[in-house]
Amino acid sequence: MPANSPATHTKQQSLRFVLAAIVVSMTVYITYVATTARIEQYDGYVYLNNAKRILDLPPAKFEHYRPPLVSLAMLAAVRLAASGAPANTGYFVWPHLTAAIISLLSALAVGLMLRRHWGTMLALAGVTFFVTSRLFLRYGPFVMADLLSAGLVASVLAVYLRTWTGGEKLPAWRDYRLCGLVLGAALLGKQSLGLIVPALVLSEILHAIHFKGWQPRRLLGLAVTITVGVLVFLSVELLIFTWLYGADGLEAAAYTAKNDFHPRSVTNRLAASTVGDSNWNYATLAWHALSPPVVLAEKDKVRADR
């Protein structure tokens, strides 16, 4: 049957409708959980307490070992909750709704990444698989870094792969700068997302192999991306610690960074991530995001553009 026949078009439309219905159903589900759940999961209490500390709301202690991005995203929700009675349900509802919005935006980021390579149909299928995953259903409505991290990884890759050109058209500097901003946000969301940097280096190696040569502009662009990302991370960290500790903020930030990125700390986190079933929560998403089909699809697209 021809790909552009009316029957094929009807089947594609039907499949799009089914996939969209599943995505909408999952959206309704996590929104329902967000508005009805009266408990927080795992690290959520720490992130919310850190947000309260930034807002100078008692009682709260700032836990340095948690990256700040989730807490920053929860500032408005915590402020809204604090405007009510001391023990109102808003302390659960507002953060949960914010978390659900973040999770849905992460799903959107995955869709945008896939659409560039594989088109609308497969992008919608990818989003459907994403929102029906155990990770999304389990953590989507709660204050966690997991879905935010997945969305940031997808965003970094989506922006960076825009720089994959065959040489006839030079990659835009704005894409490298934008990728650096998102990379900085990723580092603020989860320290282990620093692994994105070697993934980008691998991307450059694959690009050089495919096009049989290095492009100085690409190497400089990668340096710009990493530099902007590190500067964003350090600037926000320093701003937060200065806000919390005044003149001692620089010392506190340096101490936290030393412990966060010390080889022993990184080793301990990687070892802990392989205990129990947590490796299934992260490894599968990393494989989907960094798998060879994504690279091959981009190579095919570059070849088609020629």
Side-chain angles (χ1 to χ4, degrees), residues 50-257:
N50 282 357
K52 291 174 67 177
R53 177 65 181 86
I54 293 174
L55 292 170
D56 199 24
L57 296 173
K61 174 185 176 183
F62 194 85
E63 299 290 352
H64 297 185
Y65 64 91
R66 290 299 173 195
L69 187 61
V70 175
S71 298
L72 292 175
M74 292 295 152
L75 291 179
V78 171
R79 175 60 73 184
L80 281 172
S83 64
N88 69 87
T89 57
Y91 278 104
F92 291 108
V93 174
W94 292 118
H96 288 169
L97 283 175
T98 304
I101 292 172
I102 291 173
S103 299
L104 293 171
L105 289 175
S106 296
L108 177 62
V110 171
L112 292 175
M113 180 187 71
L114 296 176
R115 185 175 182 272
R116 176 176 176 80
H117 312 307
W118 292 333
T120 302
M121 175 64 79
L122 288 179
L124 184 56
V127 172
T128 303
F129 283 119
F130 182 80
V131 299
T132 54
S133 67
R134 180 169 173 262
L135 188 70
F136 188 89
L137 296 176
R138 184 173 180 178
Y139 296 147
F142 296 100
V143 183
M144 304 285 288
D146 305 84
L147 272 301
L148 175 64
S149 298
L152 288 171
V153 169
S155 299
V156 170
L157 294 176
V159 176
Y160 196 80
L161 287 176
R162 288 169 57 179
T163 68
W164 269 61
T165 61
E168 296 85 355
K169 179 182 177 182
L170 293 176
W173 290 114
R174 65 177 180 275
D175 289 334
Y176 289 115
R177 293 192 294 268
L178 178 59
C179 187
L181 290 174
V182 184
L183 175 61
L187 295 174
L188 291 166
K190 211 175 186 65
Q191 297 98 329
S192 57
L193 293 189
L195 291 173
I196 295 174
V197 174
L200 298 182
V201 173
L202 176 60
S203 171
E204 287 306 312
I205 295 174
L206 292 173
H207 188 279
I209 292 173
H210 179 66
F211 292 105
K212 298 180 175 59
W214 297 95
Q215 296 179 5
R217 184 186 180 101
R218 295 193 58 80
L219 297 178
L220 185 57
L222 177 60
V224 168
T225 292
I226 296 173
T227 301
V228 171
V230 172
L231 288 177
V232 169
F233 171 78
L234 293 176
S235 299
V236 175
E237 285 275 319
L238 182 59
L239 180 63
I240 291 174
F241 282 100
T242 301
W243 173 264
L244 293 174
Y245 303 110
D248 296 327
L250 180 60
E251 181 180 352
Y255 176 81
T256 300

